[in-house]
Amino acid sequence: MERESVLIVDDEEMVLTSLSTYLTLESEYEVLTFTSARQAVAHLEQTDVGLIISDFLMPEMDGITFLTRARELRPDAPRVLLTGYADKENAIKAINQVALYQYVEKPWDNDDLRLIIRNGLEKRQLVAKLNQQVRQVNQAYLELRGIQEEILKAFA
């Protein structure tokens, strides 16, 4: 089975190093870090990821703008907004605009963040399984409808 990946965008290298080191030591996730939201978008255009974490305030693109673009490119990847500013208005905006999975304030608790990531990835996997099963049920229904129509034609 392929390792799950977590993409993290923050303009502060220290934040990226801290999160990357912790997740590398404490999890099996592939951790992808970017100080540039534009570079992260370019990566998402080419590669799927399991979960996306973004800082809120960044110089070239704010976190809501980035996560909006990430949602367009990878709608199944849960999105987490990480911010040092306890700004409820922006949190509500983010939740509504980018279908935010979680809002985390800096400084974060590593164990809580790891749990958020794990739960977000599990949610993604469960939704994917559910969608696959719905497709299978729909396919079976179509096949049964075809058989029903053949039976009706044979006796008509």
Side-chain angles (χ1 to χ4, degrees):
M1 188 169 157
E2 215 176 284
R3 281 193 327 162
E4 287 281 7
S5 60
V6 176
L7 183 141
I8 307 170
V9 183
D10 197 304
D11 59 313
E12 294 179 48
E13 189 69 47
M14 194 170 82
V15 169
L16 294 176
T17 301
S18 174
L19 287 171
S20 178
T21 301
Y22 174 72
L23 291 173
T24 300
L25 291 172
E26 297 294 328
S27 76
E28 297 295 317
Y29 307 135
E30 176 185 5
V31 182
L32 310 162
T33 60
F34 294 88
T35 54
S36 163
R38 285 190 175 85
Q39 288 176 358
V41 167
H43 182 81
L44 290 172
E45 288 172 345
Q46 303 298 317
T47 310
D48 195 17
V49 297
L51 183 133
I52 301 165
I53 299 173
S54 176
D55 186 25
F56 177 65
L57 283 179
M58 297 182 287
E60 65 180 13
M61 182 186 307
D62 70 58
I64 294 175
T65 303
F66 167 72
L67 291 173
T68 298
R69 184 71 179 117
R71 181 182 186 196
E72 293 166 2
L73 294 168
R74 303 293 169 192
D76 296 337
R79 291 162 295 282
V80 176
L81 186 65
L82 187 64
T83 182
Y85 299 88
D87 185 343
K88 289 188 171 101
E89 182 180 323
N90 282 319
I92 292 167
K93 181 179 177 185
I95 290 165
N96 293 332
Q97 188 170 327
V98 303
L100 200 61
Y101 174 68
Q102 191 81 34
Y103 181 86
V104 179
E105 290 182 17
K106 293 178 183 176
W108 64 90
D109 176 272
N110 279 338
D111 292 333
D112 288 347
L113 186 60
R114 188 177 60 177
L115 184 63
I116 288 166
I117 292 168
R118 189 189 78 204
N119 289 346
L121 291 169
E122 284 180 4
K123 175 188 174 214
R124 179 180 188 220
Q125 292 167 357
L126 290 171
V127 168
K129 280 183 186 177
L130 178 63
N131 288 336
Q132 179 183 8
Q133 290 177 339
V134 167
R135 284 191 298 275
Q136 290 172 347
V137 167
N138 286 338
Q139 182 62 36
Y141 173 76
L142 291 174
E143 289 172 13
L144 287 172
R145 287 283 310 255
I147 293 169
Q148 179 187 26
E149 288 174 10
E150 288 178 28
I151 292 170
L152 291 174
K153 282 182 191 175
F155 291 104

